Amino acid sequence: MIIRPSELPDIVEEGYPLRMKRVIRREDHTPDISVTWVEIWGHHKRMVCDESDRVYYIVDGSGVFQVGEEPAGEVQAGDFVFIPRGMPYVFDGTMAYLVMNGPAFRPGSDRELE
């Protein structure tokens, strides 16, 4: 199956400085993994996902991630960030990234902490 992000609708969520495209979706593809392309310019609220491990792959730009109690760290294109399920995290920056969830993201599974 070939999926072309250029053919997918942009999604903008209220309260977040971002736009995204849900590329691999639980509803359409598999319950095991999801992939979303995101472009962000600013601060993402502190959150936790209790259902999925999460991997961010930075495609372009740069930012800062703070995961759990670890010190905040800078990221740039080519870097990965692993966030185990149940681990709070926060980030900001101007970047494009892929976020992968296993099992696949389920709407409502994220909890905002701030």
Side-chain angles (χ1 to χ4, degrees), residues 45-60:
K45 298 173 184 173
R46 186 168 181 80
M47 64 186 342
V48 65
C49 181
D50 293 316
E51 295 183 22
S52 301
D53 291 326
R54 192 164 278 175
V55 175
Y56 285 80
Y57 173 70
I58 312 307
V59 175
D60 188 38

Side-chain angles (χ1 to χ4, degrees), residues 21-72:
K21 294 177 183 268
R22 294 183 63 202
V23 181
I24 308 293
R25 300 166 32 118
R26 171 186 291 268
E27 302 85 0
D28 299 328
H29 304 102
T30 177
D32 298 324
I33 189 169
S34 62
V35 178
T36 303
W37 175 90
V38 183
E39 184 176 46
I40 189 169
W41 53 90
H43 178 74
H44 195 284
K45 298 173 184 173
R46 186 168 181 80
M47 64 186 342
V48 65
C49 181
D50 293 316
E51 295 183 22
S52 301
D53 291 326
R54 192 164 278 175
V55 175
Y56 285 80
Y57 173 70
I58 312 307
V59 175
D60 188 38
S62 62
V64 175
F65 275 76
Q66 197 272 320
V67 179
E69 299 301 317
E70 294 180 11

